[in-house]
Structures are given as C-alpha cells and as structure tokens.
C-alpha cells in the first residue's frame, strides 16, 4: 500500500535515532505479563527544562518504540540524555491516586547519557505489587481488558473512565455523573471487583443500568 508507506516515511522524516523497550508487570503469584496500552513518554534530560520527545503506547507484547531527532549541540555533550516516564493510562482508562491526584502514578527510568546518532537505546522495566504504583498498573491492565471485551461485543468505544485508587473504604463504587471508579486498597488484585465496577460504567454509558454500588 503506497499510502501506508508514505505515512510511515512522513512520520519518521528527519528522525535519526531510536528508543525502544519492553514493559512487564508481575502479580502477587509471580506471574509476569506484558504491560499493554501503557503510556510511555520519552524525554531528553537537560539542566533547566527537559525536552519532550514524544509519547507512545505499548502494544500487546508490552513493547514500545519511538524514532526521534538526536540533539547534538555543544550543550548536549554528544547526544540526548534519554529517560522514559510510564503511567497507567491510555485513551480508555487512567488510574490516579485518590489523595495525590493526576500526577501521582509515574515511573521514571534511569537516564541514558549522550546517546549516539543512529543508535537504538533500550529501556525495559517490570512492575511488581510491592508498591501502589505497581498495583495501579495491574488495575489499569484489568480495566483495559474489560474495555477490549466490551469492544468485541459492540465494536464501540466507551468514554474514558478515571479510576481513583486507593480509597479508605471497605467498598468500591462507580459514580456515573463523573465517570469515576473508586477502588479500595484490596481491589488491585480482584479482577472480578474491578470488572464489576467497569461494568457499571458500561451500563451507565449505554443507559441500561442506574446502579452505582
């Protein structure tokens, strides 16, 4: 397809350097799975303000890739200083800390200094359940699978839902007017609980349910 080839060339026009990697999450049983549909933002670390190079989402294998134009000015001392920021968010779902809000669940990798033009930098990561960040990634994965299942039934996309985790409560809930799921501390590993609350989001959106528990 000539159009597809042209789009690919246009997208990467002027880019000469690359970054890629694979992200995983590990559950409480030690099972390792690819981190799908996670948002990966790539930055060039600078003295005052870091340069934003782009954002991509991981694929079904947990892989991400970005081509960019390397910075070789004298202030760079040879090339970009690369790091990635990973968040449990995508077009359909975003997980936030109930207290700290939007900018709470972020993973920052170590910085790879002075990458050479034409090179490929590899940054991989695995998130376990020892921190709330890892638990937020598992919640995100559950909700992503729920949204995908919904699309197999209807071929439609739902409006995005926010997930606030953890809340200080024995219960979990969905607030329709805000399109927000509230999950307690134990819910991160309960696929049925997370999917149940996501089901309320589906029902409210389609107008087939007014339940909010």
């Amino acid at each position: 397809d000539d159009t597809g080839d042209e789009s690919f060339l246009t997208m990467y026009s002027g880019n000469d350097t690359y970054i890629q990697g694979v992200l995983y999450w590990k559950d409480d049983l030690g099972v390792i799975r690819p981190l799908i549909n996670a948002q990966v933002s790539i930055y060039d670390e600078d003295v005052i303000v870091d340069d934003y190079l782009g954002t991509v989402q991981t694929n079904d294998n947990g892989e991400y890739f970005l081509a960019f134009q390397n910075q070789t000015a004298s202030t760079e001392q040879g090339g970009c200083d690369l790091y990635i920021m990973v968040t449990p968010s995508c077009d359909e779902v975003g997980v936030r800390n109930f207290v700290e809000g939007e900018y709470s669940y972020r993973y920052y990798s170590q910085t790879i200094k002075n990458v050479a033009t034409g090179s490929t930098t590899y940054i991989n990561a695995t998130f376990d359940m020892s921190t709330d960040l890892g638990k937020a990634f598992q919640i995100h994965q559950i909700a992503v699978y729920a949204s995908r299942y919904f699309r197999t039934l209807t071929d439609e996309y739902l409006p995005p839902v926010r997930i606030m985790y953890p809340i200080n409560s024995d219960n979990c809930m969905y607030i329709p007017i805000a399109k927000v799921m509230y999950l307690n501390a134990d819910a991160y590993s309960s696929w049925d609980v997370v999917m149940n609350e996501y089901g309320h989001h589906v029902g409210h959106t389609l107008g087939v349910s007014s339940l909010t528990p």
Side-chain angles (χ1 to χ4, degrees), residues 13-56:
S13 177
N15 295 330
D16 53 18
T17 309
Y18 315 94
I19 183 172
Q20 67 183 74
V22 188
L23 305 179
Y24 299 98
W25 64 281
K26 182 168 65 172
D27 66 20
D28 288 324
L29 299 177
V31 178
I32 298 176
R33 299 179 175 89
L35 190 72
I36 66 173
N37 280 42
Q39 183 172 284
V40 183
S41 298
I42 296 91
Y43 291 89
D44 170 24
E45 184 180 79
D46 282 331
V47 176
I48 301 176
V49 179
D50 296 348
D51 293 330
Y52 169 75
L53 300 179
T55 295
V56 294

Side-chain angles (χ1 to χ4, degrees), residues 28-207:
D28 288 324
L29 299 177
V31 178
I32 298 176
R33 299 179 175 89
L35 190 72
I36 66 173
N37 280 42
Q39 183 172 284
V40 183
S41 298
I42 296 91
Y43 291 89
D44 170 24
E45 184 180 79
D46 282 331
V47 176
I48 301 176
V49 179
D50 296 348
D51 293 330
Y52 169 75
L53 300 179
T55 295
V56 294
Q57 284 190 1
T58 55
N59 63 17
D60 285 358
N61 297 316
E63 302 165 330
Y64 70 91
F65 173 85
L66 181 74
F68 62 94
Q69 187 170 12
N70 200 16
Q71 305 296 319
T72 56
S74 59
T75 54
E76 292 288 346
Q77 300 179 350
C80 287
D81 301 328
L82 295 180
Y83 68 89
I84 65 171
M85 179 184 74
V86 187
T87 58
S89 57
C90 59
D91 292 340
E92 295 89 359
V93 182
V95 184
R96 301 179 181 180
N97 184 280
F98 179 66
V99 175
E100 299 175 12
E102 181 177 1
Y103 303 107
S104 50
Y105 292 133
R106 292 182 169 189
Y107 165 79
Y108 294 92
S109 72
Q110 293 184 335
T111 301
I112 308 299
K113 298 284 189 178
N114 299 322
V115 301
T117 299
S119 67
T120 300
T121 299
Y122 297 89
I123 300 180
N124 306 320
T126 300
F127 306 98
D128 61 27
M129 300 300 109
S130 63
T131 65
D132 279 349
L133 175 62
K135 294 172 183 177
F137 277 118
Q138 180 168 190
I139 290 168
H140 177 259
Q141 296 299 281
I142 299 170
V144 166
Y145 280 114
S147 69
R148 287 186 171 192
Y149 179 68
F150 171 77
R151 288 204 303 275
T152 65
L153 299 178
T154 66
D155 199 29
E156 295 182 10
Y157 284 83
L158 289 174
V161 63
R162 284 183 296 156
I163 302 177
M164 308 302 287
Y165 171 85
I167 61 170
N168 185 21
S169 174
D170 293 332
N171 300 314
C172 300
M173 67 191 75
Y174 172 71
I175 305 301
I177 192 170
K179 295 182 175 61
V180 177
M181 294 166 50
Y182 293 88
L183 302 179
N184 63 27
D186 296 330
Y188 76 93
S189 61
S190 299
W191 286 60
D192 55 341
V193 171
V194 178
M195 287 190 170
N196 176 68
E197 297 306 328
Y198 191 85
H200 292 311
H201 177 58
V202 172
H204 171 71
T205 302
L206 298 181

